[in-house]
Amino acid sequence: MKEIVCKLLVIGAGPGGYICAIRAGQLGVDTVIVEAGKAGGTCLNIGCIPSKALIHAAEEFDKVRHMSSAPDALGISVEQPKLDLAQTVRWKDGIVGRLNSGVLGLLRKAKVKIVHGPARFRDGKTVEVETETGTQVIRAETVVIATGSEPVELPSLPFGGPVISSTEALSLTTVPKRLVVVGGGYIGLELGTAFAKMGAEVTVVEATPQILPQYDAELVKPVAKRLAELGVQVLTDTKAKGLSGQGDALLIETADGREQSLPADRILVTVGRRPRTEGWGLEELDLDRAGRFIRIDDRCRTSMRGVHAIGDVTGEPMLAHRAMAQGEMVAEIVAGRKRSWDKRSIPAVCFTDPEIVTAGLSPDEARDQGLEVRIGQFPFTANGRAMTTQSEDGFVRVVARADTNLVLGLQAVGAGISELSSAFSLALEMGARLEDIAGTIHAHPTRSEGLQEAALKALGHALHI
Ligand code: FAD
Ligand code: NAD
């Protein structure tokens, strides 16, 4: 049996793990990373990147289809387009492949040793990996658990046959005629919208009274409007009960207690993700938990000395950029630097149509903390760039302390608005006040002018409204 001894061992090469290993390698830490699947983890292989690729392809197809079906305001006419989803998926796989090798290249450049295969703890300092060439034992001073998450399965709708998770949905080679999506959260709405644009008849079944229940109703309104325009049927307050006898319909219970059957060629279940805590010997470690997640402190230390955990396995928000920020911090700590989690903002973007972006506190969250707030909101109907790109739905909103004008939170909904997330986070990290945003020259004509106008509005002197 072969044995490697190293200073740092990272388990899982998703965005949390690979960033941790790269940074540790850059800092001269003798690092090994173990990955059971492909470098890049959920995000790169079956998550962020492939979903955004399909969303883009669907958007392009929908645009052309729209131009072909009605006289176009811009004066463009085209023949009826066709979509070859198998080709779209090959294109998406090409991007994933490029990024896969990119991550492996970056790891090698940082002199990180990569071991392929599933890792299993023997004890807090020793791991066994089943590689193609036999069992590899790795002993390390510090171990970072970055095993990520996996889709939640509903007991009444186990994955298999027509019932699929996001992983299968991202590799379908034909567009299902009727797609029922169970769960109107991030994945359900991002992918549900994409499939509706590709021509599927989509129904979304959401258990709570609102789709995207994590956002306030005002932010979600433009998304709900667009779903209706795309012909997506949205059933809120509705429970999925199971598959019909023939397996060709979803049985549901609606808000008023009626049982109904929704014919479906595919049923995409997107009701959340759970930490991957099984199959790698967690029981050998006896780590404290926070619910189903591994409990960590402000340095991503677990309850066991020398064992850190980062990313989805440690809890919400389960976002790639949070995992990466944790990975970078832990690498620096292992290299002897003084670091702790002091981030003021983890921005979140929902890539629906239109997109939603949030950072910091919403108006309700600020009020719940007993803060008196000043709110400024600017609609894209008053923004020249939005008019010239034919997408005027949505707004930018700023939430600030009423006494000091310190910005507490920023939210926006609108086409392409995900790119504002960096301005939002920067404002929060730098402790911006309304006057800072209002006094910054924003290039014209851009949607980002909405941010400046929202700050001006909160100060009582918006210029374009
Ligand atoms: P993961 O990316 O899950 O990586 C964990 C890795 O560990 C995997 O590669 C796994 O194979 C490996 N592993 C697990 N156990 C072992 C073991 N025992 N031995 C060896 N290797 C092991 N987030 C965003 O921020 N933006 C988005 O737009 C976005 N879109 C998404 C779309 C979809 C469809 C999905 C499913 C997720 C999306 N996410 C998005 C969430 C994002 O993918 C995760 O937050 C992120 O991947 C978490 O990173 P991680 O490093 O914690 O874990
Ligand atoms: P989610 O938590 O975003 O949404 C799940 C939805 O399913 C919720 O609205 C919930 O009320 C609903 N639900 C739960 N049980 C149900 C049931 N039995 N019947 C009907 N509805 C039910 O989860 P997700 O969409 O699976 O995504 C998982 C995680 O992945 C997200 O929380 C996020 O962290 C990450 N993600 C992020 C992005 C992004 O950043 N753009 C995109 C995709 C995924």
Side-chain angles (χ1 to χ4, degrees):
M1 203 182 281
K2 294 173 286 179
E3 196 166 307
I4 300 174
V5 179
C6 60
K7 172 144 175 147
L8 175 65
L9 167 63
V10 181
I11 301 176
Y18 83 72
I19 287 290
C20 183
I22 290 173
R23 185 67 189 127
Q26 287 175 344
L27 291 166
V29 177
D30 169 25
T31 305
V32 175
I33 191 164
V34 186
E35 172 55 55
K38 285 189 176 169
T42 302
C43 169
L44 204 156
N45 295 292
I46 48 166
C48 324
I49 298 295
S51 62
K52 269 76 242 179
L54 282 200
I55 288 168
H56 171 70
E59 175 72 36
E60 296 295 284
F61 180 63
D62 183 58
K63 238 187 251 169
V64 184
R65 204 163 55 134
H66 199 72
M67 285 172 183
S68 73
S69 62
D72 181 68
L74 305 183
I76 303 170
S77 60
V78 291
E79 295 294 310
Q80 187 67 35
K82 283 196 195 109
L83 178 74
D84 175 358
L85 187 56
Q87 167 54 27
T88 311
V89 166
R90 278 195 292 277
W91 163 76
K92 177 265 292 179
D93 289 343
I95 294 171
V96 169
R98 265 168 64 198
L99 289 169
N100 268 150
S101 14
V103 168
L104 290 172
L106 291 168
L107 286 164
R108 284 189 204 109
K109 190 172 151 215
K111 302 204 168 27
V112 174
K113 182 166 178 49
I114 307 160
V115 176
H116 300 278
R120 195 176 171 85
F121 277 94
R122 267 196 200 165
D123 59 51
K125 303 246 176 258
T126 321
V127 153
E128 276 181 14
V129 185
E130 288 312 318
T131 72
E132 272 184 2
T133 53
T135 305
Q136 171 76 68
V137 175
I138 307 170
R139 290 187 203 286
E141 267 175 50
T142 305
V143 183
V144 175
I145 300 169
T147 50
S149 62
E150 54 202 7
V152 167
E153 194 171 42
L154 288 174
S156 59
L157 272 178
F159 294 125
V163 182
I164 58 173
S165 75
S166 54
T167 305
E168 292 77 42
L170 291 169
S171 286
L172 291 177
T173 49
T174 54
V175 178
K177 190 171 170 332
R178 295 158 309 182
L179 174 71
V180 175
V181 178
V182 180
Y186 275 93
I187 302 180
L189 290 191
E190 287 187 3
L191 294 185
T193 304
F195 279 104
K197 287 181 179 176
M198 290 191 268
E201 289 166 28
V202 177
T203 304
V204 175
V205 173
E206 166 59 44
T208 71
Q210 179 192 290
I211 50 166
L212 294 172
Q214 61 271 54
Y215 295 121
D216 61 74
E218 215 177 352
L219 276 173
V220 175
K221 213 165 148 190
V223 175
K225 180 181 158 207
R226 182 72 179 121
L227 287 170
E229 281 168 12
L230 288 167
V232 175
Q233 188 187 11
V234 175
L235 303 172
T236 50
D237 265 327
T238 301
K239 289 190 197 83
K241 306 290 282 183
L243 206 54
S244 66
Q246 273 86 26
D248 58 357
L250 176 74
L251 306 176
I252 56 164
E253 187 185 319
T254 56
D256 51 14
R258 274 185 306 124
E259 298 237 333
Q260 216 180 302
S261 159
L262 295 175
D265 302 301
R266 298 277 182 173
I267 298 166
L268 169 60
V269 178
T270 55
V271 294
R273 295 181 62 83
R274 60 163 189 230
R276 198 176 287 115
T277 48
E278 277 161 29
W280 47 261
L282 176 62
E283 55 284 3
E284 307 298 330
L285 305 183
D286 190 27
L287 302 180
D288 283 358
R289 304 282 197 101
R292 289 180 305 179
F293 299 102
I294 297 177
R295 185 190 292 283
I296 51 165
D297 69 5
D298 64 349
R299 286 172 208 174
C300 292
R301 291 179 299 197
T302 66
S303 53
M304 193 165 174
R305 188 191 291 262
V307 180
H308 291 253
I310 57 174
D312 284 7
V313 76
T314 64
E316 300 279 356
M318 288 195 261
L319 298 174
H321 41 280
R322 169 181 175 264
M324 292 193 220
Q326 289 178 320
E328 187 262 352
M329 180 188 76
V330 168
E332 298 223 335
I333 291 170
V334 173
R337 300 197 175 182
K338 282 205 160 44
R339 290 283 304 271
S340 62
W341 188 259
D342 59 355
K343 308 290 180 201
R344 297 174 74 137
S345 152
I346 304 173
V349 174
C350 190
F351 292 85
T352 38
D353 182 7
E355 294 169 352
I356 298 177
V357 51
T358 59
L361 300 180
S362 70
D364 284 344
E365 285 164 347
R367 288 189 198 103
D368 288 348
Q369 291 188 14
L371 296 164
E372 204 181 312
V373 293
R374 203 185 276 277
I375 291 163
Q377 188 162 317
F378 186 81
F380 286 122
T381 43
N383 175 276
R385 179 71 176 162
M387 288 179 206
T388 57
T389 50
Q390 298 176 294
S391 41
E392 298 175 33
D393 271 351
F395 58 86
V396 185
R397 183 169 67 197
V398 56
V399 184
R401 280 182 75 116
D403 52 356
T404 60
N405 290 344
L406 179 75
V407 177
L408 299 169
L410 291 144
Q411 302 89 37
V413 52
I417 212 67
S418 52
E419 293 300 331
L420 263 191
S421 65
S422 57
F424 284 10
S425 282
L426 197 60
L428 292 170
E429 287 293 342
M430 299 202 65
R433 287 166 202 276
L434 291 172
E435 292 83 347
D436 297 317
I437 298 177
T440 301
I441 296 178
H442 286 66
H444 177 75
T446 62
R447 287 171 177 275
S448 66
E449 288 172 280
L451 171 58
Q452 185 182 22
E453 287 284 354
L456 284 166
K457 182 99 185 292
L459 291 168
H461 49 93
L463 292 164
H464 285 91
I465 197 164

